[in-house]
Amino acid sequence: MGTRINLSIPEANSEAIFKLLFNRAQVIEKRMSSQYQDSEVSQINRQAGLGFVRVSADTFLVIKTALEIAQRSNGAFNPALGPMIQLWDIGGDNARVPAPKEIEALLGLIDYKQVSLNEPSLSVKLEKSGMRLDLGAIAKGYAADELIKIAKEAGVKRAIFDLGGNIFVFGSKTGTQAWRIGIQRPDQDRGSLMGILEARDLTLVTSGNYERYFEQDGKRYHHILDSKTGAPSQSDVDQVSIISNRSSMYCDALSTTCFVLGREKGLKFMQQFPDYQAVFVGKDRKLVATGNFDRALLIDLESDFTWAPQQSN
Ligand code: AMP
Ligand code: MG
């Protein structure tokens, strides 16, 4: 996952809790990142077409959830996109626009239905040689859920955790004041905000086309791919945020899915997840949210972003 983690616990008076949290985050990363040769995901990838690999309960749950979202989104979310992600290498040293032939050659190797699970033995198999899992769109959310669980068990009453854009807050900042989470403008450098979300006890995950990309011949190629074309998705949104008081893992997966689906299909898709709220930022700078989103929580909205009429959820 290779992301920065920022953990803030105002009342923590010992280093021990931070150590516990960072260690847990590291264990999860070392199990699920395809960057580590000996991660569980890398082992599954090496055994593609050969056999089942037994994994930890952590990794099994994340893969199972990823496949659930893949099914429910009809493949817009796809944890089996690994070969295509490797080909484009967006954000990596070898990023380039592949030839159409190269993309075509991999289209048969990105079918999430060819990922087999054996729950009793916590085992996973990729049915075809050359397949590759990539949990980059969901693993950070799982890590955020786990860290919050640990902090709560340790008696922490208020905290804000940021795992590379997967934000989880609990409690309030002070007795009366909510936490304030800055929402990045999709069209400017990091740090310029589009608005602020006032939050208590919730997780917020954003997927955007500015997070990781490269430019070639004046065109921007971002890191979220459409399985149908094998290329960066071309929907009508620049950014999607998902908010919930439930699971950051679901928020993470749903934000990536909605980014691929775009506004209209994304709103429809979200009807399956009444505990999750979505805000879509269109390329036209119009904001659309699911009907269960309380607009009053989004404050200090920059004047060039405006709300489209409220949709029903
Ligand atoms: P996120 O920033 O959570 O939206 O996740 C983006 C990352 O997920 C990318 O860097 C890829 O590793 C992976 N990815 C790209 N496209 C997809 C997709 N359509 N479904 C699932 N994972 C994807
Ligand atoms: Mg995601």
Side-chain angles (χ1 to χ4, degrees):
M1 296 176 270
T3 40
R4 279 175 69 94
I5 293 188
N6 211 321
L7 310 177
S8 164
I9 307 174
E11 281 141 18
N13 48 16
S14 81
E15 285 288 305
I17 177 76
F18 288 105
K19 223 176 198 167
L20 208 62
L21 294 168
F22 279 110
N23 283 347
R24 181 74 177 113
Q26 207 168 36
V27 166
I28 293 171
E29 170 157 29
K30 290 207 163 147
R31 287 180 172 157
M32 299 186 202
S33 168
S34 43
Q35 313 296 325
Y36 290 101
Q37 284 305 307
D38 55 354
S39 72
E40 293 174 340
V41 165
S42 293
Q43 288 172 42
I44 294 168
N45 291 345
R46 271 198 297 277
Q47 288 298 307
L50 298 173
F52 276 91
V53 173
R54 191 188 172 91
V55 296
S56 60
D58 282 334
T59 304
F60 193 85
L61 175 66
V62 173
I63 295 173
K64 190 178 161 192
T65 309
L67 292 173
E68 178 206 327
I69 305 292
Q71 268 150 18
R72 292 172 83 171
S73 69
N74 216 351
F77 186 84
N78 184 1
L81 262 170
M84 212 60 90
I85 291 167
Q86 202 175 28
L87 175 67
W88 283 84
D89 195 33
I90 293 166
D93 297 334
N94 302 309
R96 66 186 175 92
V97 182
K101 258 196 194 150
E102 294 176 279
I103 292 177
E104 241 165 69
L106 296 182
L107 286 173
L109 293 176
I110 58 167
D111 181 2
Y112 67 91
K113 292 180 184 141
Q114 301 289 319
V115 182
S116 302
L117 300 184
N118 185 308
E119 185 132 27
S121 66
L122 294 180
S123 303
V124 184
K125 183 184 175 195
L126 305 179
E127 294 297 340
K128 283 195 199 165
S129 161
M131 286 178 72
R132 247 180 103 84
L133 282 183
D134 182 298
L135 302 178
I138 185 169
K140 278 187 285 175
Y142 177 72
D145 287 337
E146 286 297 296
L147 297 198
I148 285 292
K149 207 161 80 185
I150 292 172
K152 282 185 176 163
E153 280 166 10
V156 169
K157 293 283 183 287
R158 47 179 129 230
I160 181 161
F161 295 171
D162 180 356
L163 283 80
N166 280 57
I167 297 173
F168 214 132
V169 303
F170 75 98
S172 45
K173 191 174 181 195
T174 65
T176 53
Q177 235 185 339
W179 292 101
R180 293 162 66 89
I181 309 172
I183 310 227
Q184 162 80 32
R185 274 185 80 101
D187 55 353
Q188 278 177 29
D189 288 345
R190 255 174 211 290
S192 18
L193 300 183
M194 186 187 94
I196 291 182
L197 187 84
E198 288 201 311
R200 289 181 174 87
D201 293 313
L202 67 75
T203 172
L204 161 81
V205 180
T206 299
S207 285
N209 61 9
Y210 52 84
E211 276 180 56
R212 213 167 331 135
Y213 64 89
F214 71 98
E215 275 168 2
Q216 190 171 309
D217 304 326
K219 210 175 152 200
R220 182 181 282 203
Y221 297 90
H222 64 77
H223 71 312
I224 300 176
L225 304 182
D226 184 334
S227 301
K228 290 200 203 99
T229 60
S233 71
Q234 304 229 9
S235 71
D236 54 356
V237 295
D238 273 341
Q239 175 170 306
V240 183
S241 294
I242 309 284
I243 295 156
S244 176
N245 58 7
R246 302 285 174 102
S247 152
S248 194
M249 167 166 67
Y250 274 85
C251 287
D252 194 356
L254 296 179
S255 70
T256 309
T257 312
C258 284
F259 185 87
V260 173
L261 290 175
R263 273 188 290 210
E264 202 183 318
K265 287 188 191 153
L267 282 170
K268 204 151 174 246
F269 167 73
M270 286 302 293
Q271 289 176 355
Q272 300 177 73
F273 302 91
D275 295 327
Y276 295 80
Q277 305 154 42
V279 182
F280 297 76
V281 182
K283 290 194 187 306
D284 55 6
R285 295 196 181 143
K286 287 258 184 314
L287 271 60
V288 173
T290 48
N292 56 2
F293 178 75
D294 178 4
R295 286 190 196 179
L297 294 179
L298 187 54
I299 58 169
D300 293 349
L301 193 62
E302 288 286 300
S303 58
D304 53 339
F305 291 89
T306 50
W307 282 102
Q310 187 85 358
Q311 308 279 319
S312 61
N313 193 24

